[in-house]
Amino acid sequence: MRTQQINVPVPVVCQEAEPVRPVMPTEALDADVTLDAFAAAAIAEIERREGYEGQLRAALAACTQEMER
């Protein structure tokens, strides 16, 4: 009898916490906001979304990286 090792991927639960979605600046604006105030909030929101996207990508990378043996 001979023993042979066969590597088989086994799914595991990801232990990485999902980042909390930040409140976006444009969500709190009144309906009668000025164009300048809306533009400033939109620019701030783009930066906030990029930061949140970076956190999501890091969490995804941690969950999809190959496990060490």
Side-chain angles (χ1 to χ4, degrees):
M1 184 177 279
R2 189 176 75 157
T3 302
Q4 181 179 7
Q5 180 178 348
I6 300 175
N7 295 324
V8 178
V10 177
V12 295
V13 176
C14 179
Q15 300 297 324
E16 191 68 28
E18 180 180 345
V20 177
R21 181 184 179 274
V23 176
M24 297 300 166
T26 58
E27 295 173 347
L29 293 176
D30 292 328
D32 61 345
V33 69
T34 65
L35 182 58
D36 289 336
F38 179 79
I43 291 169
E45 184 167 320
I46 289 169
E47 300 214 2
R48 191 168 290 176
R49 284 186 188 274
E50 287 175 349
Y52 180 56
E53 180 183 331
Q55 292 175 339
L56 288 172
R57 287 180 177 270
L60 178 62
C63 288
T64 58
Q65 71 184 5
E66 209 170 300
M67 292 181 58
E68 295 180 21
R69 296 172 194 230

